[in-house]
Amino acid sequence: VSIYLQVIAVNNGYFNLTIKTGAHIDVIELLAHLSLVSQASSILITMNLSITHGLPQHCTLSGLPPPASTNNFHCNNQPRTSYVTLPSPNTHNSNGVFKSKPPISTAVFEIAMKSHVQSLIDLLRDSIDIESLKQAKAVHGFVLKSNFSGKDLSVLLNHVAHAYSKCSNYGSACRVFDEMSNRNIFSWTVMIVGSTENGLFFDGFNFFCEMVNHGILPDKYAYSAIMQTCIGLHSIEIGTIVHAQIVIRGFACHEFVSTSLLNMYAKLGRIEDSFKVFNGLNDHNLVSWNAMISGFTLNGLHLEAFDHFLRMKDEGVSPNMYTLVSVSKAVGKMVDVDRGKVVHRFASDLGLRSNVLVGTALIDMYSKCGSLDDARSVFDSNFVNFGVNPPWNAMISGYSQCGSCHEALVLFVKMCQKEVKADVYSYCSAFNAIATLRCPRLAEQVHGKVLKSGHYMMVTSVSNAIADSYAKCGALENVRKIFDRMEDRDLVSWTTLITAYSQCSEWENALSIFSQMREEGFIPNQFTFSSILVSCASLCFLEFGRQVHGLLCKAGLETDKCMESVLIDMYAKCGSITEAEKVFKRISNPDTVSWTAIISGYAQHGLVEEALALFRKMEVFGVKPSAVTLLCVLFACSHRGMVEEGLHYFLLMDEKYGLVPEMEHYACIVDLLGRVGRLDDAMEFISKMPIRPDEMVWQSLLGACRVHSNVEFGEIAAQKILSIRPEYSATYVLLSNTYIETGSFKDGQSLRDRMKERGVKKEPGYSWISVKGRVHKFYAGDQRHPQKDGIYALLEELRVKVKSMAYVPDLSLAL
């Protein structure tokens, strides 16, 4: 690119200066160099600067001030022309003698200065558009070194403060504001907006109050800004005060202010007041319709949002892309694919279907409605060859949320192959799909891609998603590594780690991490409490569970439906069915999960009649049982040997409740028949199963064969299990003991030898107790416990006492 400088000399002669540059020009550096040239050579330079966004930049400079009308900005890759005049404080004559006055008229100088101010404002707006703090600082420095004063200086400093704020340098914006000698309404509004956008809502409110105290009355823009501050403060009280002032000062009739009002009320949850403001408007324009529809959607009034969308059309106001995005969200929440097609049709009629925002919203809407084919149709017809990621993210997320995790990962791979840049949402959706599929190799591959991307590993939400996928895959060591390397951990990070340890049966470690999390100042949420209560239940830590219950009450979560059910389960598994009953009775309106938890508790404690009575009571209250509820009922019948009742409830699953029996239900029926010795019926039941039995079903049969010494069926069951899980030690042990008990010692010992040859080791059983918050585990023949000598001495003492009482242990059921 060549830059031609045409310079006005003292004698009104001209000379040209050509500067050769590369393909890209740093506008700020160019300004700085020209400023130095201007001051050193005592000349006036007027620059015609043509900037093309996204393309190589071209600059032309001339010695005549251009017309101001050309300072228009276009965002569609068309050149934006700015004119910068760089005045020199000194001049020189033909003999090189410097003088204090410029060789041009004052009128020309003023025109050049005004053009200069507008050009710098344009550059500051550019810095906001491209989020360039460096450019904003450079312009600020140039302003300070120039001879601006009065109104021009105030205008420029206002725009400098605004640019700093928009570039997330709020501290610099405050310093510029503090150093202003003349502040106007624009100055104060800039600071109110900047404070709010940077999350400093109290600062924004203080600026508004100071402005009023200085005698500067708010205009419509200041009122709009303070209403955004009220939203950030979640303060309906301040909002209503502002509303009163707006009415008193006569701004209520301004559409701009009224639209901001209805938006404020909607976002503060006062949708009725928002609707009143909307109805009070003399004329509903596109902005007010959009604000109202968005407000309905935000407050869960999805049908009202859709109805107002139709009403908007009937009143002759054509929706735009923001309207369609809001109403698409509402329809997605309603899970109404028919209304979704209406929205889709409007988008097509308006030619907005291929718009990125609208297309992404349509894909998300169809996905939430469960219509993945329609979502994929929108994606394929408009965005399959598109280079930006929002539509890709929406489609991948839709597959993942609808359980089509394989398709989600296939699309993610295709996205990478097409070199569409993945972002936080892409990676989180991919890892959610991997977590559902439980595929550790895929987790490692995508994790590697994240590492190569560089900065995304620094994003907490991505690290949390990676840790969760490893946790679901059972890779506990990887979860710990991710957690330890995280610089910024949030509550989700801690909850993911606790849940991972709990799911991997490392319950004691889960409790320890929970305590560490609280020491670091994190307050648990319902998901954290749920995982930790599961750990308490698994360890039968009643006292610890009570402490967690106390924390739940302090956090105000004791009435959460999920928490109530987990508490019932915890107390029941810790042996305190009485406390489980108390929790259940405090529930005002128990749902299916709550009923299931208490029925399960009674069944675990052998209170079969009470469990079945509760189930019947549940039906009377009109609560529909789930598949888990019926599983608990079958479990209760099985442990009491109530065969006919169990078979009756099994048949009712499909006939009455419309529930399809799962593998656990079939295994429970096999166990029910096997416990009472009806092995032939159990075998016939298995043969008639509509689904292929897995090891759970055959294990139930093998256990019954062991109890009733049925070698024939035991061998069949063992072969089936070993064909699925050849490393499962319990199968060898159960069948071996069945051989031995029926007198086939040789076969029993041969099976044990085969087990050793294959390297299958019996997992040792253990028991544990908790003393003063510490878990003590005991294995057979354990030599690792620090108090083993005292333990074995006491065991020997007990053995001698038992032997002296002529007690002979029954080893028939020992594995």
Side-chain angles (χ1 to χ4, degrees):
V1 177
S2 296
I3 302 176
Y4 297 96
L5 297 179
Q6 193 173 61
V7 183
I8 306 175
V10 177
N11 58 2
N12 290 329
Y14 294 89
F15 65 89
N16 292 326
L17 171 64
T18 301
I19 303 174
K20 293 288 187 180
T21 72
H24 298 280
I25 297 171
D26 190 320
V27 175
I28 300 307
E29 290 182 9
L30 179 61
L31 278 173
H33 287 307
L34 292 178
S35 177
L36 293 174
V37 171
S38 168
Q39 295 178 22
S41 58
S42 303
I43 58 176
L44 177 68
I45 299 176
T46 302
M47 180 168 67
N48 176 348
L49 177 62
S50 177
I51 305 171
T52 302
H53 293 273
L55 296 173
Q57 301 171 354
H58 171 70
C59 299
T60 304
L61 292 90
S62 72
L64 297 176
S69 62
T70 55
N71 293 335
N72 296 323
F73 179 71
H74 305 281
C75 296
N76 54 354
N77 272 351
Q78 296 299 316
R80 166 185 177 170
T81 304
S82 298
Y83 296 91
V84 179
T85 303
L86 302 174
S88 170
N90 300 306
T91 62
H92 62 81
N93 58 20
S94 57
N95 296 322
V97 179
F98 284 85
K99 297 181 180 180
S100 59
K101 291 184 179 181
I104 56 174
S105 68
T106 303
V108 173
F109 182 77
E110 289 179 355
I111 293 172
M113 288 296 287
K114 287 186 180 296
S115 177
H116 192 182
V117 169
Q118 184 58 50
S119 301
L120 291 173
I121 291 173
D122 290 342
L123 287 172
L124 287 168
R125 288 171 177 165
D126 284 341
S127 68
I128 294 172
D129 293 338
I130 62 176
E131 298 180 359
S132 174
L133 180 60
K134 177 184 175 183
Q135 182 166 312
K137 286 182 175 180
V139 176
H140 184 196
F142 183 80
V143 169
L144 294 177
K145 291 178 182 179
S146 301
N147 295 327
F148 294 105
S149 61
K151 183 179 178 182
D152 287 342
L153 182 60
S154 296
V155 169
L156 285 170
L157 291 179
N158 285 339
H159 283 280
V160 168
H162 184 55
Y164 277 140
S165 175
K166 288 288 187 180
C167 293
S168 301
N169 195 340
Y170 178 73
S172 294
C174 288
R175 284 190 290 273
V176 171
F177 179 81
D178 291 339
E179 293 168 3
M180 287 184 191
S181 57
N182 297 313
R183 299 169 185 158
N184 56 20
I185 183 65
F186 184 75
S187 313
W188 291 99
T189 304
V190 163
M191 296 313 298
I192 297 168
V193 172
S195 302
T196 301
E197 290 179 344
N198 285 276
L200 302 170
F201 307 111
F202 282 107
D203 286 0
F205 180 66
N206 288 333
F207 276 120
F208 181 80
C209 294
E210 285 182 39
M211 177 184 73
V212 176
N213 291 336
H214 278 75
I216 299 177
L217 295 176
D219 61 4
K220 60 182 180 180
Y221 301 107
Y223 279 127
S224 177
I226 192 59
M227 282 187 273
Q228 290 299 317
T229 303
C230 294
I231 294 170
L233 290 170
H234 303 290
S235 176
I236 191 64
E237 293 81 7
I238 298 175
T240 52
I241 292 171
V242 172
H243 188 181
Q245 191 178 125
I246 287 170
V247 173
I248 291 169
R249 294 198 57 225
F251 278 92
C253 59
H254 286 256
E255 288 185 2
F256 180 79
V257 176
S258 295
T259 302
S260 297
L261 263 176
L262 73 88
N263 177 63
M264 178 193 73
Y265 280 126
K267 288 185 177 177
L268 291 175
R270 296 278 287 268
I271 193 65
E272 299 87 355
D273 292 326
S274 179
F275 194 51
K276 286 179 183 177
V277 174
F278 178 77
N279 285 334
L281 290 172
N282 294 327
D283 184 32
H284 297 145
N285 60 15
L286 178 60
V287 178
S288 57
W289 277 109
N290 283 351
M292 197 67 252
I293 292 170
S294 175
F296 281 131
T297 302
L298 184 67
N299 285 273
L301 300 172
H302 309 303
L303 183 59
E304 286 79 357
F306 182 79
D307 288 344
H308 276 71
F309 169 71
L310 297 180
R311 180 182 155 193
M312 170 189 181
K313 286 281 295 178
D314 292 341
E315 293 191 12
V317 180
S318 180
N320 64 1
M321 60 181 177
Y322 303 109
T323 325
L324 294 169
V325 169
S326 293
V327 77
S328 294
K329 288 181 181 177
V331 172
K333 292 290 186 180
M334 285 192 289
V335 194
D336 190 330
V337 71
D338 291 330
R339 286 189 170 94
K341 290 184 182 299
V342 173
V343 176
H344 189 178
R345 189 161 53 250
F346 275 121
S348 299
D349 292 343
L350 293 168
L352 292 172
R353 187 178 59 178
S354 59
N355 176 277
V356 177
L357 288 177
V358 175
T360 301
L362 289 174
I363 293 169
D364 181 66
M365 175 194 71
Y366 277 129
S367 298
K368 285 184 169 60
C369 292
S371 183
L372 288 176
D373 289 340
D374 288 317
R376 188 59 190 256
S377 175
V378 174
F379 177 79
D380 287 341
S381 59
N382 299 285
F383 305 109
V384 73
N385 294 313
F386 207 63
V388 296
N389 58 38
W392 290 86
N393 290 346
M395 195 67 248
I396 293 169
S397 176
Y399 276 131
S400 182
Q401 291 172 3
C402 292
S404 301
C405 298
H406 178 75
E407 289 80 359
L409 291 173
V410 168
L411 191 60
F412 177 77
V413 171
K414 188 175 181 179
M415 173 183 176
C416 297
Q417 290 172 342
K418 287 183 172 288
E419 297 183 350
V420 178
K421 186 179 179 181
D423 61 7
V424 172
Y425 304 102
S426 316
Y427 286 124
C428 287
S429 295
F431 281 113
N432 287 340
I434 291 168
T436 303
L437 292 175
R438 288 172 166 74
C439 184
R441 186 179 176 186
L442 272 175
E444 290 171 353
Q445 290 175 346
V446 181
H447 184 188
K449 181 170 176 58
V450 175
L451 290 172
K452 288 180 181 178
S453 72
H455 66 281
Y456 282 120
M457 275 306 296
M458 308 299 292
V459 180
T460 304
S461 59
V462 175
S463 295
N464 290 340
I466 296 171
D468 181 64
S469 67
Y470 279 131
K472 296 289 197 307
C473 296
L476 188 56
E477 185 178 348
N478 288 342
V479 179
R480 187 77 218 201
K481 285 180 181 177
I482 296 293
F483 180 83
D484 290 340
R485 292 170 183 170
M486 289 175 67
E487 292 185 4
D488 296 315
R489 299 166 185 158
D490 58 10
L491 181 59
V492 177
S493 312
W494 285 97
T495 301
T496 300
L497 186 65
I498 292 168
T499 304
Y501 274 98
S502 181
Q503 290 174 345
C504 293
S505 303
E506 296 280 348
W507 304 302
E508 187 181 357
N509 286 328
L511 298 181
S512 175
I513 295 166
F514 177 76
S515 300
Q516 184 184 348
M517 180 195 78
R518 293 189 63 240
E519 288 172 3
E520 294 199 14
F522 288 92
I523 300 174
N525 61 12
Q526 56 265 50
F527 302 106
T528 322
F529 280 124
S530 179
S531 293
I532 209 64
L533 286 170
V534 168
S535 296
C536 292
S538 301
L539 288 168
C540 298
F541 274 16
L542 180 59
E543 193 56 42
F544 201 105
R546 286 170 176 160
Q547 293 174 16
V548 175
H549 189 179
L551 292 174
L552 256 173
C553 294
K554 288 182 180 179
L557 294 171
E558 73 276 12
T559 57
D560 182 272
K561 290 292 184 185
C562 178
M563 290 297 96
E564 290 168 336
S565 302
V566 176
L567 281 169
I568 293 169
D569 183 67
M570 184 273 295
Y571 279 124
K573 287 180 178 176
C574 289
S576 181
I577 192 65
T578 303
E579 289 178 272
E581 288 174 342
K582 288 180 180 177
V583 174
F584 180 75
K585 288 177 180 178
R586 282 198 296 266
I587 302 174
S588 58
N589 187 25
D591 59 7
T592 302
V593 180
S594 305
W595 283 101
T596 300
I598 192 63
I599 292 170
S600 174
Y602 279 125
Q604 289 168 8
H605 284 256
L607 303 171
V608 178
E609 281 77 11
E610 290 84 346
L612 296 179
L614 266 177
F615 178 73
R616 289 188 288 269
K617 187 176 180 181
M618 173 184 176
E619 289 187 295
V620 170
F621 276 90
V623 181
K624 184 180 178 180
S626 66
V628 180
T629 316
L630 269 298
L631 184 62
C632 294
V633 171
L634 294 177
F635 175 82
C637 294
S638 175
H639 280 256
R640 180 57 68 88
M642 301 168 65
V643 178
E644 298 308 321
E645 290 85 348
L647 292 174
H648 170 69
Y649 284 118
F650 180 79
L651 292 174
L652 287 181
M653 283 189 69
D654 182 37
E655 294 175 0
K656 183 176 181 180
Y657 307 116
L659 299 170
V660 179
E662 299 173 11
M663 197 66 71
E664 291 84 358
H665 299 92
Y666 289 107
C668 206
I669 293 297
V670 172
D671 181 69
L672 172 65
L673 295 169
R675 280 176 182 266
V676 296
R678 293 171 57 174
L679 298 180
D680 290 328
D681 292 337
M683 198 67 179
E684 183 181 357
F685 179 81
I686 294 173
S687 66
K688 292 180 179 180
M689 282 176 57
I691 56 176
R692 185 179 180 181
D694 65 0
E695 70 270 20
M696 185 192 310
V697 175
W698 292 112
Q699 192 69 29
S700 298
L701 180 63
L702 180 58
C705 293
R706 160 76 173 79
V707 172
H708 297 285
S709 303
N710 189 315
V711 175
E712 180 186 355
F713 287 167
E715 287 178 336
I716 294 172
Q719 288 174 3
K720 295 290 185 181
I721 297 169
L722 293 176
S723 67
I724 302 170
R725 289 183 62 187
E727 79 289 351
Y728 195 37
S729 62
T731 306
Y732 293 93
V733 176
L734 281 170
L735 184 58
S736 173
N737 289 350
T738 305
Y739 282 136
I740 292 171
E741 284 188 13
T742 56
S744 302
F745 293 99
K746 185 176 180 181
D747 291 333
Q749 189 58 47
S750 173
L751 188 59
R752 296 258 179 167
D753 293 340
R754 200 185 318 160
M755 178 180 171
K756 291 179 181 179
E757 290 172 4
R758 295 180 178 179
V760 179
K761 294 183 179 180
K762 177 180 174 293
E763 184 179 347
Y766 63 90
S767 58
W768 68 89
I769 59 172
S770 173
V771 180
K772 296 181 179 179
R774 183 182 174 189
V775 178
H776 296 263
K777 293 182 180 180
F778 306 99
Y779 295 86
D782 188 9
Q783 296 293 325
R784 293 175 295 178
H785 197 281
Q787 296 173 274
K788 65 179 185 303
D789 294 336
I791 293 170
Y792 281 116
L794 183 58
L795 282 174
E796 180 60 23
E797 182 181 335
L798 291 172
R799 189 186 68 80
V800 171
K801 287 184 179 180
V802 169
K803 190 175 181 180
S804 66
M805 297 168 66
Y807 173 76
V808 179
D810 180 11
L811 302 178
S812 62
L813 297 178
L815 294 179

